[in-house]
Amino acid sequence: MIRLTLKSRPPFRLSLDGVTPDSIAGVAAAELARRPLAQGNRRGALGDWFRVEATGEAADRLVIADGDDRLDDVGAGMAGGELVVEGDAGAGAGTAMSAGILRVTGSVGYGAATAMRGGELHVAGNAGDQLGGALPGERAGMSEGIVILGGNAGDGAGDRMRRGLVVVAGTAGSFCASRMLAGTIIVGGAIGAQPGIAMRRGSLIALAGTVPPAPGFADCGVTELTVLRLISRFLAERGLASLATHLGPLRRRVGDLAQNGKGEILTPS
C-alpha cells in the first residue's frame, strides 16, 4: 500500500491525474516521489507536496491523507484497486475511471464521475455540479459504474448519463437527469427545478416526492415495478436501508415528450 500525506494546503490546484492504485503498484516510494505532478500551470514532482510512504499491505491500495478541495482529478483514469481519500477532493474525482473503488470521506467538487466507465465511487459528503456528466464536446456522460453520495449533489447530476447507477442520499440541484440517455438516478431528498428536461430514457427516482412540475412528462399512474425490489435490496446491502424503505408503489411520469423521450420520473404515490 502507498500512503500519500499532503504536507500543506497548496496555494494553487494540483492535478493527480494518473496517480491511481493500478498505475503505481510495485513502484518504489522514492521513485513515486519523483513522478511529475501538474501544479497549476507548472510542472513539479509528487514529492514536492506529498510525503510518500510504502507499507507491506495490499499493493493495489492507495491512501491520500489530509485530502483537500484543491486536489483535482483524484482517481482519474483508475482501472483497478482501491483509492481512499481521507478528507475532501477537488474537481474531476473519478473522471473516466473504468474499474476499482474510489472512496472519499469528505466532499468532492465539480464533475465527479465525469465519463465514468465502471467501478464504484463512494463519497461521504457532498458533490458539486455535473455529477456523472460528460467531458467537454462529448455527447454522453457516465456510461457504467456506481456512484453513492452520502450528502447533496449540485446542479446537473446525471446530465447526458448513458448507463449506470447514481444514488444521492441528500438533495439534488436543478436539471437533475437532464438530457439523460439511460441509467438510474435515485435521490433521497428534494430536487431542484427542471428535472429530466430533454430526457430520452432512463429513470429518476425521487424518494422524497418533492419534485417540481415537469411539463414534458405525462402522468401514467401508480406502479410497482419488479426492478424496485432489486434496487431496494441493493440499497439495504450498501447501508442505505433508510432509502430502501421508500421504494414501494410509485407514481410514474414518462417523458420528456418534447424530445419524444421514454424516460421516467418516479415519486412516492
Side-chain angles (χ1 to χ4, degrees):
M1 184 188 83
I2 295 291
R3 185 176 182 88
L4 303 179
T5 304
L6 189 65
K7 296 177 181 178
S8 61
R9 177 172 167 81
F12 36 65
R13 310 199 74 80
L14 302 179
S15 174
L16 294 178
D17 188 8
V19 183
T20 58
D22 53 296
S23 70
I24 67 172
V27 179
E31 180 183 348
L32 185 59
R34 295 191 294 271
R35 178 167 290 198
L37 179 71
Q39 305 175 1
N41 60 356
R42 296 176 293 172
R43 302 290 290 183
L46 192 65
D48 294 342
W49 291 100
F50 293 90
R51 186 170 63 253
V52 184
E53 302 169 284
T55 71
E57 298 179 37
D60 62 347
R61 190 168 191 264
L62 171 63
V63 175
I64 300 176
D66 298 329
D68 191 272
D69 61 5
R70 290 183 178 174
L71 302 181
D72 293 339
D73 307 316
V74 172
M78 185 172 164
E82 181 182 15
L83 197 167
V84 178
V85 181
E86 297 175 349
D88 296 335
T95 294
M97 70 178 291
S98 58
I101 300 176
L102 171 56
R103 302 183 190 276
V104 181
T105 65
S107 297
V108 295
Y110 176 91
T114 292
M116 187 176 183
R117 296 180 285 117
E120 298 186 18
L121 170 60
H122 297 253
V123 180
N126 303 321
D129 296 344
Q130 294 295 308
L131 174 67
L135 290 169
E138 295 292 331
R139 300 183 65 181
M142 176 179 172
S143 60
E144 276 294 352
I146 296 171
V147 176
I148 297 180
L149 182 68
N152 305 322
D155 295 340
D159 181 42
R160 295 186 184 275
M161 183 175 171
R162 183 184 292 274
R163 279 188 298 274
L165 172 66
V166 174
V167 180
V168 179
T171 63
S174 301
F175 306 110
C176 183
S178 60
R179 301 181 290 186
M180 190 174 177
L181 302 172
T184 302
I185 301 175
I186 302 172
V187 181
I191 294 178
Q194 300 290 345
I197 190 168
M199 190 178 190
R200 295 281 188 174
R201 289 183 182 273
S203 302
L204 170 58
I205 303 176
L207 297 179
T210 52
V211 178
F217 285 74
D219 192 338
C220 297
V222 176
T223 184
E224 189 169 5
L225 303 174
T226 302
V227 69
L228 296 179
R229 289 196 288 271
L230 299 177
I231 292 174
S232 178
R233 187 182 308 161
F234 171 87
L235 293 175
E237 291 172 351
R238 298 306 175 96
L240 297 168
S242 59
L243 295 182
T245 58
H246 297 282
L247 282 169
L250 301 175
R251 181 166 296 279
R252 183 169 183 256
R253 296 174 175 83
V254 174
D256 184 347
L257 300 180
Q259 300 290 326
N260 293 318
K262 298 179 181 179
E264 59 184 7
I265 297 178
L266 299 161
T267 58
S269 57

